[in-house]
Amino acid sequence: MEYIEEIKAAKSIKIIKSFVEAGYVPSRGGQAYTFNGFYVNNFEHAFLNLTNSKIEEMLKVNRSAGDIFKRINRNGINKINTSYVEQKMNQLADEIGLKVSEATEEPLKLAKNQWRIALYLNPYQCHFALQEKNGSWTSKEDWAGRIKRLTALPKYYPATLHGRNPFKLEKYYIITNPYAESE
């Protein structure tokens, strides 16, 4: 089963890498998902920031696009931590051609080819939020495709699955597509 998941993930990586290398500049702009949200989780929402048309393009080739991101789950470790998540983010970024750098809480002037994400953690899971171009934040709430809009990020974010511990805001990151125009 794990081998099949890796094959599906490899297909998705190849497609996403082609978007990145073509200079795709992501910007959902708080856009609601126009299909069953099952194919996109909160990591994909923030880290890849793909528009509906790009996701639909990817799904034509690989109906299991979400399989690529199962690797960020615990997979054998007892508690999830920042360094583990960063390792997985950097691994994926290297595979698809993106660059990840740490950011501060302070508002930043981002280049056209950049976006900022926030990492939340609880002992069991991670959660991500995406900063939109207008400075507000969005988060994908669940598999149904709902997007929560936030004017500011809370220090703690509620965990919706089985009443688990809330997520604590840990860090900010800037994601850069080096293949896209920066101005």
Side-chain angles (χ1 to χ4, degrees):
M1 183 68 136
E2 194 170 305
Y3 176 72
I4 292 170
E5 300 300 322
E6 284 300 315
I7 290 172
K8 291 176 182 178
K11 282 184 182 178
S12 295
I13 287 169
K14 186 176 180 180
I15 296 164
I16 295 165
K17 185 174 183 173
S18 73
F19 296 160
V20 170
E21 290 177 344
Y24 174 70
V25 178
S27 182
R28 285 203 62 78
Q31 173 188 83
Y33 290 94
T34 56
F35 51 86
N36 182 339
F38 179 75
Y39 297 110
V40 178
N41 63 25
N42 64 74
F43 176 72
E44 295 163 321
H45 171 78
F47 190 80
L48 293 178
N49 195 3
L50 296 175
T51 59
N52 287 330
S53 62
K54 285 293 181 194
I55 295 168
E56 288 166 1
E57 192 177 324
M58 185 169 58
L59 292 174
K60 286 177 187 171
V61 177
N62 184 13
R63 295 299 298 176
S64 301
D67 294 329
I68 184 175
F69 305 101
K70 288 181 182 174
R71 291 190 264 170
I72 208 137
N73 292 333
R74 292 186 297 161
N75 290 343
I77 64 170
N78 290 330
K79 291 195 176 184
I80 200 161
N81 58 48
T82 305
S83 62
Y84 175 79
V85 175
E86 286 177 343
Q87 174 192 5
K88 294 297 186 176
M89 277 195 321
N90 285 319
Q91 178 185 349
L92 178 61
D94 287 347
E95 289 181 70
I96 62 177
L98 295 175
K99 302 291 181 206
V100 179
S101 55
E102 287 187 35
T104 64
E105 184 178 346
E106 302 304 314
L108 303 166
K109 173 93 170 107
L110 298 174
K112 183 179 174 186
N113 65 334
Q114 296 179 316
W115 59 103
R116 189 163 77 147
I117 65 174
L119 167 65
Y120 284 86
L121 290 178
N122 72 20
Y124 312 102
Q125 298 174 298
C126 53
H127 187 83
F128 293 87
L130 165 67
Q131 187 171 35
E132 302 293 346
K133 296 290 185 189
N134 67 5
S136 68
W137 291 84
T138 58
S139 176
K140 182 145 183 316
E141 284 295 287
D142 54 29
W143 290 105
R146 290 186 289 269
I147 300 217
K148 185 173 188 174
R149 289 167 177 77
L150 306 160
T151 54
L153 287 181
K155 185 172 176 120
Y156 291 92
Y157 196 86
T160 56
L161 182 64
H162 310 300
R164 290 208 171 161
N165 301 342
F167 296 100
K168 181 179 182 243
L169 180 59
E170 294 290 330
K171 276 186 159 181
Y172 296 89
Y173 302 91
I174 294 174
I175 312 300
T176 303
N177 181 351
Y179 298 95
E181 289 184 32
S182 60
E183 298 180 33

